[in-house]
Amino acid sequence: MTLSQPVSFPVPADGVYFAESMHLKDYEASLHRDPFHKIVFIQRGRMELQSATGRKSLTVMGPERTLLAVPAGVKHRLLDHEPSVILVLGLGDRFLRRDRDIWEIWQRLLVHPVSGRMMEGGFAGWWRRAVLEQTLQGPGYAVTVRAMAMQVL
C-alpha cells in the first residue's frame, strides 16, 4: 500500500466546500485531523474509515453508497479496498451551529451512518453541480452552495 496525503481544501468556518476524489485500490491516507467537519459519500467502491478520539478507536467499513460523518479535530484516515470514487463535503463549525436543527441532524449523522441508497438517481450529478457552482463563483454562488449542503444534511 502507498501511504498518501489527503487532498486539502479550504472550508470557511461559516461555509462549506464540495469536493470529489478518485482512489486506486489499496489507497491508504495518512492519519490526519481536519479543522472542519466532513461528510464522505462513497459513490463507488468500498473503503474503511479509521478514526480515533482519545483512547477510543473506531473502524467503519463503508460499502458503496454509504455516507460517513467525521467531526472536526478527530484523527482519521481512509483505506480503499477497491478503486473508489468519494464525494466529500467540508462543513464549517459556524455553518453547522447557525441553526439548531442542522446541528441536531449533524449529531445524529455522527452516531448513525446513513445508507446513501436513498440518494440514488441524480445525487452525484447534483453534487458535481455544487462543485461547479463553487468553482465558477458566479453571483450568489455562496448561497447556492450552502443551500445544497443543507440538502445533503
Side-chain angles (χ1 to χ4, degrees):
M1 281 195 202
T2 304
L3 192 61
S4 302
Q5 287 295 337
V7 174
S8 63
F9 47 88
V11 179
D14 62 347
V16 300
Y17 195 88
F18 285 86
E20 179 177 2
S21 186
M22 295 175 216
H23 302 168
L24 298 173
K25 182 180 179 190
D26 295 334
Y27 167 86
E28 183 176 327
S30 60
L31 195 60
H32 68 285
R33 298 176 208 254
D34 292 310
F36 51 85
H37 309 282
K38 71 180 172 185
I39 289 175
V40 176
F41 178 70
I42 304 166
Q43 182 189 5
R44 186 175 65 229
R46 190 169 55 93
M47 64 179 20
E48 185 177 338
L49 169 67
Q50 294 179 346
S51 61
T53 313
R55 293 178 179 230
K56 291 174 126 183
S57 65
L58 170 70
T59 299
V60 177
M61 183 62 75
E64 210 164 85
R65 304 275 191 239
T66 297
L67 194 140
L68 303 167
V70 181
V74 170
K75 278 186 176 179
H76 67 283
R77 67 186 190 147
L78 295 172
L79 295 92
D80 287 68
H81 293 272
E82 58 189 59
S84 300
V85 175
I86 62 169
L87 306 177
V88 181
L89 174 57
L91 302 156
D93 194 63
R94 286 197 314 251
F95 170 80
L96 285 175
R97 292 177 187 267
R98 78 168 37 150
D99 182 304
R100 187 173 147 208
D101 291 335
I102 291 174
W103 183 250
E104 287 177 9
I105 291 168
W106 171 251
Q107 293 299 306
R108 278 193 301 252
L109 277 175
L110 292 174
V111 178
H112 304 288
V114 174
S115 167
R117 298 248 178 248
M118 65 185 174
M119 299 175 213
E120 296 279 349
F123 185 74
W126 177 85
W127 195 289
R128 289 182 183 105
R129 176 162 180 241
V131 171
L132 182 63
E133 288 283 340
Q134 79 188 9
T135 301
L136 296 178
Q137 296 187 4
Y141 84 93
V143 173
T144 302
V145 172
R146 284 193 305 266
M148 293 173 105
M150 283 189 232
Q151 288 180 327
V152 169
L153 291 170

